[in-house]
Amino acid sequence: MSLTVCKFGGSSLADGNNITRVTEIVKSDPARRFVVVSAPGKRYSGDIKVTDMLYECYKESKEKGNCSAAFEKIRRRFYSIVEELGMDTFFDIGKILDETEREIESRKSADFTASRGEYLNARVVAAKMGLPFIDAKDIIFFDKNGQFDEARSYPLIAEKLEKCEGAVIPGFYGTDAEGNIKTFSRGGSDISGSIVARAVNADLYENWTDVSGFLACDPRIVEHPQKIEIISFKELRELSYMGANVLHADSIFPVRKGDIPIKIKNTFRPEDAGTLILPSKKYVKHGNIVTGIAGKKDFTVIYLEKSMMNSEIGFARKVLSVLERRGICFEHMPSGIDTLSLVIESKYFADGSLDSLLKELSEAVQPDYIHALENIALVATVGHGMASNIGTSARLFKALSDAGINIRMIDQGSSEINIIVGIDNDDYEKCVRAIYREFFS
Ligand code: ADP
Ligand code: ASP
Ligand code: MG
């Protein structure tokens, strides 16, 4: 029989009614045996996610030695969920909450505190579904560099889950090399789901959220964008890394290694087909030349120009050594014969260190010209075979020029499925809309 691992996001589990809906979805297909859950998310716009409330608890407990005021909100949220589910007569959430509050205060760890949203929610969902709760701390491990430890985790997950008909597992966290709770970055339950799917060699990884699939661009920028029916892992990686945050950008790696397809499904419209994400070798491009558009704001582009740079041995190494010494990662490095640009997240310069970086770079490589562009947004237009198609680039650049958008940087890079443009932050939404209009209307 086929085996599906399902991950439900915070929006799908925000209150008791939603948890009932999720229970029906799981029970409606016997292949859906292993369920990975997020912490309760927002119930309405302006609501606060449980994970954000937990970071407040950590702050309060650090400042005052206890977190009783902030934890009271967590307490009320879970009491109301358990009440809505009609479980208050047999499920003692009060006891679990008391223990959790005490542990948050005694452990004094941001990661431990943040992880409790998934922990508590998985306890509730497991009780509602009548399935065993399996704690992520016992099956998901990080190595001493803080990276996910495949060799240790996969056999343990497989061994534990093999014995169960079904189980509920909290997402977002595991145990580090010292035995402490450690979380993935925000949105990381998607990664936990992918890890579990790979460990049990699932036939499908279903990721249930609040949209009916991966859309061609952010629905907060373009109203009702087209839904992508099928997309390759490669395209998904490019889009999610560039800000299409339906799925955590790193969640692709475990399932990709196991050739396990992902399906994005809508908890609130389970009848909708969703988006199927396939390993590149199983994917056949059809339909639109452009698959999707995504982007991010707040980059700084450092532009270096030096005649004969291309024949100067060690030029790029010297530039990159300066970044390495300062602990700066760069996103892109488009280059020409005499030019090299570094695209870096502006957060590195929030402390006012940009001028000193420019000075250090000047000393290291003595460029003819060095200059930084700030407040730059990057927009990626993604699709297999697209960047090698001259007509596509021409259409893209014409659409931007017709919309009056000044292109500050182009990176067609080495990825043949992606064209990235750098534009002013203020032009970001306009740029996404212009590209969408050109390729999708
Ligand atoms: P979950 O709580 O299920 O983890 P997320 O909030 O992490 O859900 O992700 C789903 C949200 O991602 C959607 O509600 C939507 O607003 C946003 N989003 C951004 N870009 C896209 C896109 N290209 N396609 C679909 N949704 C997108
Ligand atoms: N609850 C965590 C967050 O809000 C993880 C997740 O939802 O995937 O980031
Ligand atoms: Mg998410």
Side-chain angles (χ1 to χ4, degrees):
M1 195 175 74
S2 75
L3 171 58
T4 301
V5 169
C6 330
K7 176 260 169 180
F8 290 89
S11 46
S12 304
L13 297 162
D15 62 23
N17 293 335
N18 289 354
I19 293 176
T20 302
R21 185 191 291 277
V22 163
T23 305
E24 281 160 15
I25 290 171
V26 170
K27 300 285 175 198
S28 68
D29 181 351
R32 293 183 181 131
R33 284 172 46 202
F34 303 120
V35 181
V36 174
V37 300
S38 283
K42 293 184 184 184
R43 292 159 293 184
Y44 44 85
S45 99
D47 194 17
I48 304 172
K49 289 180 171 187
V50 163
T51 308
D52 292 312
M53 284 161 39
L54 284 161
Y55 283 116
E56 279 304 309
C57 291
Y58 172 68
K59 218 170 115 208
E60 185 178 308
S61 132
K62 216 167 100 185
E63 282 163 13
K64 295 195 194 150
N66 74 71
C67 61
S68 37
F71 197 78
E72 186 52 32
K73 293 183 190 151
I74 306 281
R75 203 176 273 283
R76 271 192 263 135
R77 188 82 187 263
F78 277 98
Y79 269 119
S80 87
I81 288 177
V82 167
E83 221 174 274
E84 278 166 354
L85 290 170
M87 286 167 37
D88 42 338
T89 49
F90 62 91
F91 183 74
D92 192 356
I93 188 72
K95 185 160 166 259
I96 303 173
L97 285 164
D98 289 345
E99 279 164 14
T100 303
E101 185 177 354
R102 271 200 303 277
E103 271 193 297
I104 288 176
E105 288 171 357
S106 66
R107 292 209 195 195
K108 301 181 179 19
S109 145
D111 280 22
F112 175 81
T113 308
S115 74
R116 294 305 87 185
E118 272 68 14
Y119 168 81
L120 291 166
N121 216 20
R123 295 284 306 259
V124 172
V125 172
K128 166 72 184 166
M129 292 184 181
L131 291 175
F133 162 82
I134 296 204
D135 199 337
K137 81 172 171 38
D138 301 324
I139 53 173
I140 292 188
F141 293 93
F142 296 91
D143 63 20
K144 58 182 186 323
N145 301 316
Q147 299 300 314
F148 168 59
D149 188 341
E150 292 187 12
R152 191 168 170 207
S153 309
Y154 286 146
L156 264 172
I157 303 172
E159 188 197 311
K160 269 246 154 113
L161 296 186
E162 216 165 64
K163 297 180 195 132
C164 311
E165 269 309 299
V168 177
I169 303 138
F172 193 37
Y173 70 93
T175 299
D176 72 10
E178 275 84 48
N180 301 311
I181 296 286
K182 176 177 162 56
T183 62
F184 291 103
S185 57
R186 294 301 302 268
S189 300
D190 291 331
I191 309 175
S192 313
S194 178
I195 289 171
V196 172
R198 163 94 166 103
V200 299
N201 198 17
D203 299 287
L204 181 64
Y205 171 34
E206 280 182 346
N207 192 290
W208 291 82
T209 183
D210 61 351
V211 275
S212 288
F214 215 101
L215 304 169
C217 66
D218 190 330
R220 291 161 294 191
I221 299 178
V222 171
E223 239 181 83
H224 306 301
Q226 274 182 34
K227 195 199 80 186
I228 302 170
E229 269 163 43
I230 303 181
I231 179 172
S232 74
F233 278 169
K234 251 191 176 163
E235 291 172 324
L236 174 82
R237 168 78 179 146
E238 300 278 350
L239 286 168
S240 45
Y241 185 75
M242 282 301 290
N245 55 3
V246 199
L247 264 186
H248 191 294
D250 295 345
S251 63
I252 193 162
F253 297 120
V255 282
R256 188 169 72 181
K257 277 202 186 156
D259 266 354
I260 300 164
I262 311 174
K263 198 159 215 190
I264 311 277
K265 292 280 286 175
N266 188 346
T267 300
F268 306 95
R269 294 181 59 93
E271 65 284 4
D272 287 357
T275 295
L276 183 62
I277 304 160
L278 288 176
S280 299
K281 62 183 176 212
K282 291 190 189 158
Y283 170 79
V284 184
K285 174 94 189 166
H286 65 288
N288 236 343
I289 183 91
V290 171
T291 301
I293 307 154
K296 290 196 266 196
K297 286 186 179 176
D298 297 327
F299 289 90
T300 297
V301 180
I302 298 174
Y303 176 84
L304 289 138
E305 195 178 310
K306 188 175 187 186
S307 305
M308 313 275 287
M309 165 196 293
N310 61 331
S311 55
E312 183 178 329
I313 289 174
F315 185 91
R317 179 185 49 75
K318 287 180 209 156
V319 168
L320 297 183
S321 303
V322 172
L323 297 189
E324 189 176 353
R325 263 200 307 282
R326 290 176 169 243
I328 295 176
C329 294
F330 69 92
E331 296 285 311
H332 302 277
M333 192 172 62
S335 63
I337 310 168
D338 299 324
T339 63
L340 184 145
S341 300
L342 297 163
V343 182
I344 298 169
E345 281 184 80
S346 302
K347 68 172 187 203
Y348 288 107
F349 311 120
D351 57 356
S353 60
L354 180 58
D355 286 345
S356 79
L357 172 65
L358 296 183
K359 196 158 163 261
E360 200 178 333
L361 285 170
S362 295
E363 282 160 11
V365 293
Q366 271 115 41
D368 300 333
Y369 178 63
I370 183 165
H371 157 80
L373 288 172
E374 294 182 78
N375 303 317
I376 295 293
L378 300 181
V379 174
T381 306
V382 174
H384 276 289
M386 188 197 73
S388 54
N389 181 328
I390 308 253
T392 312
S393 324
R395 277 175 71 189
L396 173 66
F397 300 136
K398 179 161 185 320
L400 297 187
S401 111
D402 288 351
I405 294 164
N406 188 6
I407 302 176
R408 315 295 299 260
M409 187 207 76
I410 297 171
D411 184 6
Q412 206 155 330
S414 51
S415 154
E416 85 291 5
I417 70 165
N418 200 352
I419 301 174
I420 295 172
V421 292
I423 41 136
D424 290 335
N425 269 346
D426 291 345
D427 283 336
Y428 174 65
E429 283 82 9
K430 201 161 113 187
C431 176
V432 172
R433 283 189 206 110
I435 302 173
Y436 184 83
R437 251 197 323 274
E438 175 62 32
F439 291 101
F440 291 90
S441 327

